[in-house]
Amino acid sequence: MVKKTSAKTSFGTLQNPDHVPNAVIIHSSFSPEGGLNYCIVTPGADHYRLRVFDTTTGNIKNDYEEKEGDGKWTSVSWGAVTESGVNGASKKKRRSSLGASSPVLALGHTNGHISIYSLVHGRVIHQLSGSHTGKVNDFCFSKNGTRGFSAGEDGLICEWDIAQGVEMSKFQAETKSVKKIRLNHEEDMMLTAGHSMKLWDLESREVIKNFTGHASAITNVVFSANDKFLASTAEQDRFINLWDCTRENQQEGNITALTLDNTVSHIDISAGNAVLAISEEGTAGLWQNAQSASGTSSSSAKANKKKRYTTRACDCLVKVESSRGDNALIPLLAGSFTPQGSMILARGSTIKPVFEKVEFQNEDGSLKEKEMIMTRAPVTGFLMDESAQAASNLKATKKAYDETTVTVVGAADFAMAAPNMEVDSDNSDNEEGEKMEGRTMEEKLQDLAVEDSATNSTGKKSKQTNKNKIPTPKANSLQQMLIQALHSNDTQLLEACLTFNNVEVIRNTIRRLPTAYVIPFLTQVIHKFQQKPNRGEALLEWIKAVLLIHTAYLMTVPDLIEKLSNFYQTLDSRVSVFQKLLNLHGRLDLVMSQIEMRQQYEAEDTTNQASTVYVEDEDDEEGDDLDLDMEDDEDDDLVGEADAFDEEEVRNDILC
């Protein structure tokens, strides 16, 4: 019944401390026995965390984390197994526990193993392994809890003896993966779903019907109470398709489609064939008598063909809005019908969800409203509720800060005062003048010689004493600036203090900070960290210094959990995207390495370049030109020889 969804977390919503976004939800669902228990699976930095809540009290009943080496959880399914007595118990206790059933959760793993986790014992009581070669996509229990059926990525359907932990039988249902598997209430038919769906006879293992299914992978499959129809949803699909499951009707298409405004994450069917659906947006839709939308009662084939593709909007839309006046939507996490005819909804934060039973029908069976808008106090995800008595008493004793009695100190206030300096100097000058008039010139010259020698001998010592002199404390030191900013609630001055990023300076400042200002400073820094997460690296140094240095004082604060829970929620939401960032980082590294190798290959690979290129036509033309040049040279040589012979004959004739 549950689809793996990723909550839409934006840094803009963190600016409002009354709304804390949910972390990524891997799985969330109510137990099938009327919603007495609610389980939710959220990711951590390197493992998944399973928590089970009691919907009556809202307290956590079980908290379980993945074990190293078991592989990631790929499916979570509710069921009940028969208790056979705990090892070491007496025979009387074993007899009393024999035949009693306790709620369990089947956890599928990526390595093909299945763990049966008991809510009563708080641990894994059975391990099923050795059949699936790939990850387990879904698991379903029989009514008596002795058998179970698993569907895997390898397309196999395996039947298990849960108590013995051994495989009873298996068969190949699909060539591709099987995403969902369900048994009808009579346990004589079984449905397997991937993109398409098949309805099997459980005893003969033969296909009864083939359904067309959805365009994307199917995420939820639920049989009606009378097993006459079933509902299915798929990834990124806002349609809920209803299918006829009777053996007499061989129709393979959907009989009708129910629509919501957003992708459906949860569905449930009541005993009266009412359908409840929760969207990823956090709203819920209700349909009464969902099967009545089909055309099975009409005898006309043409009418059946028309009604086969009809869609139907919800009869009642359920929303939960904030009572703070901003009409902010409080998201619904999951929903289910109860045996009493009402529905139970989980809303708010994944840290501490709130459960509420809602009556949606009148006494005559009609819906109370077409649009049910409930106004509730916003859930901030705090570990302590704001309406608690301690918090209310704290708010009552808080007083507004009055600046009329504040005195702002400056640098001059820390200097040593010198009262009546001018009067004393005037009197001393008069006295010295009278003494100088009564002395001779020789005495005056001796005094001047003594003063010159004294200044020459003590010049070096005076420089050293000036260096060792303790400086007067100033009001513009970082510690004083920080105290003044917190005392007067000066935001600009506090921002000026937070610009320092030297770790040693930060720790010395926090070490000298009075304990009365520790909680106000920590609250201010955490609020700035939520408003602008891109400053996280600088602000975390201040937060870390406070937590390390003032640990002893923080442990004595009675409402520390309430003050730091918002900071914990923010860190949880930031860590939830760590796995996605790692996947993106790996893909980018792969792409960049391929580009770098291609460029390097193109730069170094010169083996395909020919050192000499021979063109036949050009060589023939060059050869013809060369022959013509040689013939011209021979003709020139013959002409030259003839001219020389004629000159020699003329010379001989002259001599004669």
Side-chain angles (χ1 to χ4, degrees):
M1 285 180 60
V2 180
K3 176 181 180 294
K4 295 181 181 179
T5 61
S6 58
K8 298 179 180 179
T9 302
S10 61
F11 293 118
T13 57
L14 294 177
Q15 297 178 3
N16 184 6
D18 293 333
H19 175 70
V20 180
N22 290 324
V24 177
I25 300 176
I26 302 300
H27 173 94
S28 65
S29 63
F30 285 97
S31 58
E33 71 276 7
L36 298 179
N37 298 306
Y38 171 78
C39 77
I40 183 170
V41 179
T42 54
D46 54 354
H47 59 272
Y48 287 163
R49 181 186 180 189
L50 167 68
R51 286 171 296 152
V52 180
F53 292 86
D54 187 342
T55 58
T56 305
T57 61
N59 298 327
I60 296 180
K61 296 177 61 176
N62 301 85
D63 195 341
Y64 181 66
E65 295 183 353
E66 275 182 338
K67 303 299 182 182
E68 295 184 1
D70 290 344
K72 292 287 185 181
W73 294 336
T74 55
S75 68
V76 180
S77 303
W78 283 98
V81 297
T82 303
E83 292 286 351
S84 59
V86 185
N87 293 335
S90 62
K91 294 182 178 180
K92 185 176 182 181
K93 290 184 178 180
R94 291 182 187 177
R95 291 172 184 173
S96 61
S97 62
L98 189 62
S101 61
S102 61
V104 294
L105 287 168
L107 308 176
H109 299 269
T110 54
N111 56 8
H113 296 178
I114 302 167
S115 302
I116 308 299
Y117 177 80
S118 174
L119 274 63
V120 176
H121 302 292
R123 57 181 175 84
V124 175
I125 58 175
H126 297 294
Q127 285 281 359
L128 311 177
S129 60
S131 295
H132 291 286
T133 57
K135 67 178 182 179
V136 179
N137 291 327
D138 199 10
F139 192 91
C140 66
F141 292 86
S142 61
K143 285 184 179 180
N144 55 15
T146 58
R147 293 187 303 164
F149 297 86
S150 61
E153 194 72 16
D154 50 9
L156 290 175
I157 303 297
C158 299
E159 182 180 3
W160 300 89
D161 186 333
I162 297 177
Q164 301 296 328
V166 295
E167 174 193 321
M168 298 175 62
S169 63
K170 65 179 178 180
F171 65 95
Q172 189 76 31
E174 295 282 351
T175 56
K176 298 181 180 179
S177 63
V178 178
K179 299 297 183 182
K180 290 293 175 181
I181 181 172
R182 286 292 181 273
L183 294 176
N184 66 341
H185 294 85
E186 297 295 333
E187 293 190 354
D188 58 349
M189 291 188 295
M190 178 176 61
L191 182 83
T192 60
H195 288 272
S196 60
M197 298 186 296
K198 292 182 179 180
L199 189 63
W200 302 78
D201 185 282
L202 190 59
E203 184 177 356
S204 62
R205 306 294 170 87
E206 295 180 355
V207 177
I208 302 173
K209 283 186 180 181
N210 286 300
F211 298 115
T212 54
H214 296 257
S216 55
I218 294 175
T219 56
N220 297 290
V221 176
V222 182
F223 278 95
S224 63
N226 54 11
D227 289 335
K228 290 185 177 181
F229 71 96
L230 63 91
S232 64
T233 63
E235 293 179 354
Q236 304 300 322
D237 194 347
R238 63 187 186 91
F239 291 93
I240 305 170
N241 289 338
L242 302 183
W243 313 87
D244 193 327
C245 297
T246 57
R247 295 176 182 263
E248 296 80 13
N249 191 350
Q250 295 299 320
Q251 178 182 341
E252 296 182 356
N254 59 319
I255 54 180
T256 188
L258 312 178
T259 61
L260 276 179
D261 293 336
N262 208 326
T263 303
V264 181
S265 59
H266 299 75
I267 57 173
D268 193 19
I269 302 177
S270 68
N273 293 337
V275 175
L276 170 65
I278 308 295
S279 68
E280 289 186 355
E281 185 183 8
T283 60
L286 276 169
W287 291 265
Q288 276 193 322
N289 300 322
Q291 191 183 11
S292 64
S294 66
T296 55
S297 60
S298 176
S299 59
S300 174
K302 185 176 181 180
N304 289 338
K305 185 176 181 181
K306 288 183 179 180
K307 291 186 178 182
R308 184 183 304 173
Y309 301 99
T310 57
T311 59
R312 178 182 169 186
C314 62
D315 299 331
C316 177
L317 182 64
V318 182
K319 292 182 180 179
V320 181
E321 293 184 351
S322 173
S323 60
R324 296 291 176 88
D326 53 356
N327 294 329
L329 181 66
I330 299 178
L332 297 175
L333 304 178
S336 177
F337 288 109
T338 62
Q340 294 77 20
S342 60
M343 60 181 178
I344 182 170
L345 301 175
R347 56 178 169 86
S349 171
T350 58
I351 300 296
K352 190 176 181 180
V354 177
F355 309 101
E356 181 178 0
K357 290 185 178 181
V358 180
E359 299 290 340
F360 62 94
Q361 289 180 337
N362 297 317
E363 294 181 357
D364 57 354
S366 61
L367 293 175
K368 291 185 176 181
E369 299 177 78
K370 291 186 177 180
E371 186 175 5
M372 186 182 299
I373 300 178
M374 300 182 295
T375 303
R376 299 291 184 268
V379 180
T380 59
F382 290 161
L383 299 181
M384 291 182 63
D385 192 6
E386 289 184 355
S387 61
Q389 187 65 28
S392 61
N393 294 337
L394 182 61
K395 290 182 179 179
T397 56
K398 284 184 178 179
K399 295 182 179 180
Y401 178 73
D402 187 11
E403 294 186 354
T404 58
T405 59
V406 175
T407 302
V408 180
V409 297
D413 297 326
F414 290 89
M416 299 297 294
N420 300 327
M421 186 67 70
E422 296 181 356
V423 178
D424 294 343
S425 63
D426 293 339
N427 295 333
S428 61
D429 292 341
N430 294 332
E431 292 176 358
E432 289 178 3
E434 293 176 356
K435 292 180 180 179
M436 292 293 291
E437 290 178 357
R439 301 179 66 182
T440 62
M441 183 60 69
E442 182 179 1
E443 292 175 352
K444 294 179 180 179
L445 293 175
Q446 290 177 355
D447 293 339
L448 291 175
V450 172
E451 289 179 359
D452 292 338
S453 61
T455 54
N456 292 332
S457 62
T458 61
K460 296 181 180 179
K461 294 182 179 180
S462 62
K463 294 181 180 180
Q464 294 178 357
T465 56
N466 290 333
K467 292 182 180 179
N468 298 329
K469 186 178 179 181
I470 300 175
T472 302
K474 297 181 180 180
N476 60 353
S477 64
L478 186 57
Q479 176 199 359
Q480 294 295 331
M481 289 174 60
L482 186 58
I483 295 175
Q484 184 176 350
L486 296 173
H487 188 71
S488 60
N489 199 15
D490 192 341
T491 306
Q492 295 182 355
L493 187 59
L494 181 60
E495 287 290 345
C497 297
L498 295 178
T499 54
F500 291 87
N501 54 8
N502 191 332
V503 179
E504 192 67 24
V505 173
I506 292 174
R507 294 193 174 183
N508 291 334
T509 303
I510 296 299
R511 188 177 290 108
R512 298 172 183 174
L513 186 68
T515 55
Y517 295 98
V518 170
I519 294 297
F521 173 70
L522 193 61
T523 305
Q524 292 280 351
V525 176
I526 290 175
H527 183 61
K528 293 180 182 294
F529 175 73
Q530 294 173 349
Q531 286 184 327
K532 296 182 179 180
N534 54 349
R535 298 179 56 189
E537 184 177 358
L539 295 178
L540 282 176
E541 291 293 339
W542 291 91
I543 298 174
K544 181 180 178 181
V546 173
L547 297 178
L548 290 177
I549 296 173
H550 295 280
T551 306
Y553 168 72
L554 292 175
M555 293 177 65
T556 62
V557 178
D559 56 346
L560 180 65
I561 297 178
E562 181 182 1
K563 295 180 182 297
L564 295 183
S565 58
N566 202 12
F567 177 59
Y568 168 76
Q569 178 71 18
T570 305
L571 291 180
D572 193 15
S573 61
R574 289 170 66 98
V575 170
S576 64
V577 300
F578 181 69
Q579 188 66 31
K580 295 182 180 179
L581 292 177
L582 285 180
N583 296 336
L584 178 61
H585 184 267
R587 293 179 182 177
L588 290 177
D589 284 346
L590 181 61
V591 172
M592 295 303 296
S593 61
Q594 292 292 332
I595 294 175
E596 184 179 356
M597 291 177 61
R598 185 178 298 176
Q599 292 177 352
Q600 183 179 3
Y601 178 76
E602 292 178 354
E604 296 179 356
D605 188 10
T606 58
T607 57
N608 293 330
Q609 297 180 359
S611 58
T612 305
V613 179
Y614 173 76
V615 181
E616 185 176 359
D617 297 337
E618 293 180 359
D619 291 343
D620 294 341
E621 292 177 359
E622 291 178 359
D624 296 339
D625 295 338
L626 183 61
D627 294 338
L628 293 175
D629 294 338
M630 293 178 63
E631 291 178 358
D632 293 339
D633 294 339
E634 291 178 357
D635 294 338
D636 293 339
D637 295 338
L638 293 175
V639 172
E641 292 178 357
D643 293 340
F645 181 73
D646 293 340
E647 290 178 0
E648 187 176 358
E649 287 184 352
V650 172
R651 190 183 296 111
N652 293 331
D653 293 340
I654 293 172
L655 291 176
C656 294

